[in-house]
Amino acid sequence: MAWQPVFKLDEIPVLGSRVVSSPTHGDIAIFRNREDEIFAVHDKCPHKGGPLSQGIVHGRSVTCPLHNWKIQLENGEAVAPDKGCTKPFAVKVENGTVFLQL
């Protein structure tokens, strides 16, 4: 699997996200939290497919804008009592550039 440069870190707002479209994987949401940690997950809530990229980032989670499900960004798992998972993707930052592994 190859690492692909996708954005400069400063193009992703703190507590925000950006979306990368992949012909193989669909839309992938890349998130930046308050601690400048970067996470990437499939941009679909496991509940009803809501756009996680439009959710609220808090800590290492995002809250889906449709039905308030909380999704852990490091592994894509829903926070209990909800159950489900969205696919996580490997992501890293080098020299201010965000790389996504596809």
Side-chain angles (χ1 to χ4, degrees):
M1 293 189 192
W3 288 96
Q4 303 291 320
V6 289
F7 302 110
K8 290 290 186 188
L9 178 61
D10 60 7
E11 292 179 56
I12 305 171
V14 173
L15 300 179
S17 69
R18 290 288 181 261
V19 176
V20 174
S21 293
S22 162
T24 308
H25 302 287
D27 286 345
I28 300 166
I30 300 178
F31 296 91
R32 179 180 180 188
N33 70 8
R34 189 174 307 279
E35 291 75 30
D36 281 339
E37 293 176 300
I38 301 297
F39 305 93
V41 297
H42 191 232
D43 193 23
K44 276 192 167 191
C45 180
H47 176 228
K48 299 240 179 187
L52 293 174
S53 60
Q54 295 177 26
I56 297 170
V57 177
H58 44 94
R60 301 178 115 212
S61 300
V62 63
T63 298
C64 179
L66 294 186
H67 301 102
N68 293 323
W69 274 40
K70 291 176 183 64
I71 307 299
Q72 298 174 58
L73 292 171
E74 64 269 16
N75 61 16
E77 293 284 336
V79 175
D82 298 321
K83 294 182 182 178
C85 184
T86 192
K87 180 180 170 76
F89 292 88
V91 67
K92 66 180 179 179
V93 178
E94 288 184 356
N95 299 319
T97 299
V98 177
F99 290 83
L100 179 66
Q101 190 175 44
L102 295 175

